[in-house]
Amino acid sequence: MTSQPNSTAARDIAYHMHSQTNLRAHETRGPLVMARGDGVHVIDDAGNRYLEGMSGLWCTALGFSERRLAEAAARQLDRLPYYHTFYGRSAEITVDLAETLVGLAPVPMSKAFFVTSGSEANETMIKLAWYYHAARGKPGKYKVIARARAFHGITIVAGSLTGLPVLHRDFRLPLPGFLHARCPHAYREAAPDETLEAFADRLAAELDATIQAEGPDTVAAFIAEPVQGAGGIVVPPASYFPKIQEVLRRHDVLALADEVICGFGRTGRWFGSETLGYRPAMMSMGKALTAGYLPMAAVLIDEDVYRTVADNSARIGVFGHGFTHSGNPTCAAVALEAIAIYREGELVPRAARLGMLLHDRLAGLRDHPLVGEVRGIGLLVGVELVADKATRRAFDPALRVGAYADDRALAHGLVVRALGNTLALCPPLVIEEQHVDQIVERLTRAIDDTEAWVEREGLRQAPPAA
Ligand SMILES: Cc1ncc(COP(=O)(O)O)c(C=O)c1O
């Protein structure tokens, strides 16, 4: 890619280090610079317009030009732009948000604790789980079980929960005491003749065996995204969470939900835990909490955990946790306004309805020679590209087949995200029926282009035997 010496692209390469990017490849390839948003579209600095099929990073549920969010932020910036929550300080808008979130929770929750990012929210849940067990005289209960292909963030503890090896490599992660159970993805993990019910039974039995092997007195918590996002849009079998939950209850292991993607309507209910029948003791949320307009995340905490933690803070003299921006009033104002818009527009049932339509219209892709599985729920979709449809053989990741399809989708005016060889979609909840059609049409063209390239380059051949 060539660019003018003082262009945004050139300065990006000169001064800006990117997240989750091949940094050397970026130096030649350069950035894709977005100049502005318009409803469910974004427009780059060359004037190309894209339907944002990923809501940025699973964030902008209300699209990119919701004036009410800008106005809510402006009002709060005028009144009280910043305050904090250390040593009992508060702001009315932050209290309003805490009360609203506790009221929205799908299971009885007692308190909301605010942070800035999903990683901090998950990190907070683990610290609370450790503090909780220590307060109950069980300080040896410290291990945490997450799942393979989970994404729970990228800080040291959240990164340890994450079950994607490429994000651990050379970072000395995961920390000791962080384990990963099998991913509940039937297409990849179930035996050929195993029913979903039998697969769920096996996953619960494996979890039980892991806890027994580690020693139930050493296991503090289990954490799960109701639908795994960055691991490839994995919806577990319907009976998975109830079965897992029973194992956790038996071993006094806290059930934690990561709702950072699933929260606020994405799966067709307010929270993915509700959709998938999970009853967590704590749940983290972020992203669509503010529709992505300002950084804020939160943890909801049930009464049992809260009571134990509060008693312990009285013994120690302080609950020694919290951040400069915990409960930032401007972020809280935007979150409250976003929730008001979700409610007034009935966007949660709308996501269920449009999600069904989207899945219906994508069903035709199941017959495509390159497509192994089309999966998801609500407005969350994964389309897995495979080298061999009959055997489900995956492409070698080094071929970057998903990345090629991602580029082709961009060329056709659609933002998707390649998660390895799975193309993910997570469009704004405010898409219209016409956008559903556009998504399907552009994605199909991108997959057709990819199929032609795969054929041209002979990429289907099985790798040589080692
Ligand atoms: C399910 C899930 N949890 C946690 C996170 C981490 O959130 P953040 O990047 O705000 O730290 C993400 C981010 O994509 C996520 O998808």
Side-chain angles (χ1 to χ4, degrees):
M1 183 180 182
T2 52
S3 50
Q4 301 302 316
N6 262 331
S7 65
T8 307
R11 290 184 299 112
D12 184 87
I13 292 167
Y15 300 115
H16 183 198
M17 184 157 142
H18 283 252
S19 312
Q20 309 278 0
T21 298
N22 176 332
L23 299 176
R24 281 283 178 240
H26 182 74
E27 291 169 4
T28 44
R29 191 183 154 117
L32 171 60
V33 180
M34 291 307 176
R36 61 189 182 88
D38 176 20
V40 298
H41 294 88
V42 283
I43 294 139
D44 71 18
D45 61 353
N48 300 308
R49 192 178 171 84
Y50 308 93
L51 208 171
E52 228 309 352
M54 271 300 294
S55 300
L57 278 178
W58 332 84
C59 281
T60 52
L62 298 175
F64 292 80
S65 27
E66 180 49 78
R67 289 301 310 159
R68 282 176 62 180
L69 298 181
E71 284 157 12
R75 277 195 305 276
Q76 191 59 39
L77 284 168
D78 275 343
R79 186 175 306 147
L80 179 70
Y82 173 80
Y83 221 69
H84 62 87
T85 64
F86 281 38
Y87 34 89
R89 303 293 152 87
S90 207
E92 187 177 3
I93 196 102
T94 307
V95 180
D96 291 344
L97 179 60
E99 184 178 9
T100 301
L101 290 177
V102 168
L104 275 180
V107 292
M109 289 289 176
S110 175
K111 302 286 183 287
F113 185 88
F114 294 109
V115 295
T116 315
S117 70
S119 299
E120 284 175 12
N122 289 328
E123 199 107 0
T124 293
M125 292 203 294
I126 302 309
K127 285 185 75 180
L128 281 167
W130 287 340
Y131 198 80
Y132 168 81
H133 287 301
R136 295 160 77 227
K138 300 181 177 183
K141 264 172 111 57
Y142 72 98
K143 294 175 190 165
V144 183
I145 304 178
R147 296 167 316 160
R149 292 169 59 187
F151 188 79
H152 295 297
I154 218 70
T155 52
I156 291 177
V157 161
S160 296
L161 299 172
T162 288
L164 297 166
V166 70
L167 305 183
H168 290 156
R169 199 164 150 195
D170 289 347
F171 285 117
R172 301 177 67 94
L173 296 178
L175 291 177
F178 288 80
L179 311 169
H180 294 91
R182 188 185 300 279
C183 172
H185 185 195
Y187 179 75
R188 286 284 169 215
E189 300 289 341
D193 51 359
E194 198 173 32
T195 63
L196 285 180
E197 196 64 24
F199 179 50
D201 280 333
R202 179 159 65 88
L203 292 167
E206 283 179 4
L207 179 65
D208 187 55
T210 302
I211 297 174
Q212 302 273 12
E214 295 293 326
D217 290 348
T218 70
V219 181
F222 169 84
I223 183 168
E225 301 155 81
V227 177
Q228 283 187 325
I233 315 291
V234 176
V235 186
S239 62
Y240 170 78
F241 277 111
K243 288 182 205 275
I244 292 284
Q245 190 103 43
E246 176 48 28
V247 174
L248 302 177
R249 191 198 54 75
R250 219 170 331 118
H251 296 301
D252 185 28
V253 172
L254 285 172
L256 312 180
D258 178 341
E259 294 273 3
V260 170
I261 286 178
C262 294
F264 305 97
R266 182 54 58 189
T267 66
R269 306 270 187 106
W270 275 93
F271 292 96
S273 295
E274 207 179 339
T275 310
L276 275 302
Y278 190 32
R279 299 183 60 80
M282 290 185 260
M283 47 201 278
S284 59
M285 57 200 66
K287 297 191 186 276
L289 168 62
T290 59
Y293 281 44
L294 284 179
M296 180 180 234
V299 177
L300 291 182
I301 300 145
D302 80 3
E303 180 57 24
D304 170 45
V305 174
Y306 173 71
R307 196 185 325 109
T308 311
V309 164
D311 288 348
N312 208 38
S313 80
R315 270 192 294 276
I316 295 173
V318 65
F319 171 56
H321 181 68
F323 300 90
T324 302
H325 284 286
S326 288
N328 178 300
T330 306
C331 300
V334 170
L336 263 180
E337 194 67 17
I339 293 168
I341 298 170
Y342 298 143
R343 277 182 161 145
E344 287 163 28
E346 300 187 352
L347 295 186
V348 177
R350 190 166 182 281
R353 191 164 45 74
L354 282 172
M356 264 182 308
L357 192 70
L358 179 58
H359 287 280
D360 246 30
R361 304 222 167 137
L362 284 171
L365 274 179
R366 293 207 165 91
D367 297 327
H368 196 285
L370 200 57
V371 173
E373 191 183 36
V374 181
R375 55 181 180 258
I377 190 164
L379 285 172
L380 265 181
V381 176
V383 178
E384 183 162 341
L385 309 181
V386 288
D388 186 326
K389 216 173 157 79
T391 63
R392 304 184 180 181
R393 182 167 55 80
F395 284 107
D396 177 348
L399 297 174
R400 298 178 48 78
V401 172
Y404 184 91
D406 184 323
D407 277 351
R408 293 314 303 156
L410 268 186
H412 294 303
L414 174 67
V415 176
V416 300
R417 180 164 168 206
L419 304 165
N421 291 323
T422 296
L423 303 176
L425 287 167
C426 174
L429 304 189
V430 292
I431 53 166
E432 306 279 347
E433 207 173 317
Q434 51 159 340
H435 300 127
V436 169
D437 291 333
Q438 286 168 13
I439 288 172
V440 175
E441 185 252 326
R442 293 175 193 187
L443 182 67
T444 305
R445 283 167 70 192
I447 294 176
D448 285 344
D449 292 353
T450 309
E451 165 67 9
W453 172 70
V454 161
E455 280 298 306
R456 218 166 41 238
E457 302 291 322
L459 303 182
R460 274 217 166 74
Q461 281 132 26

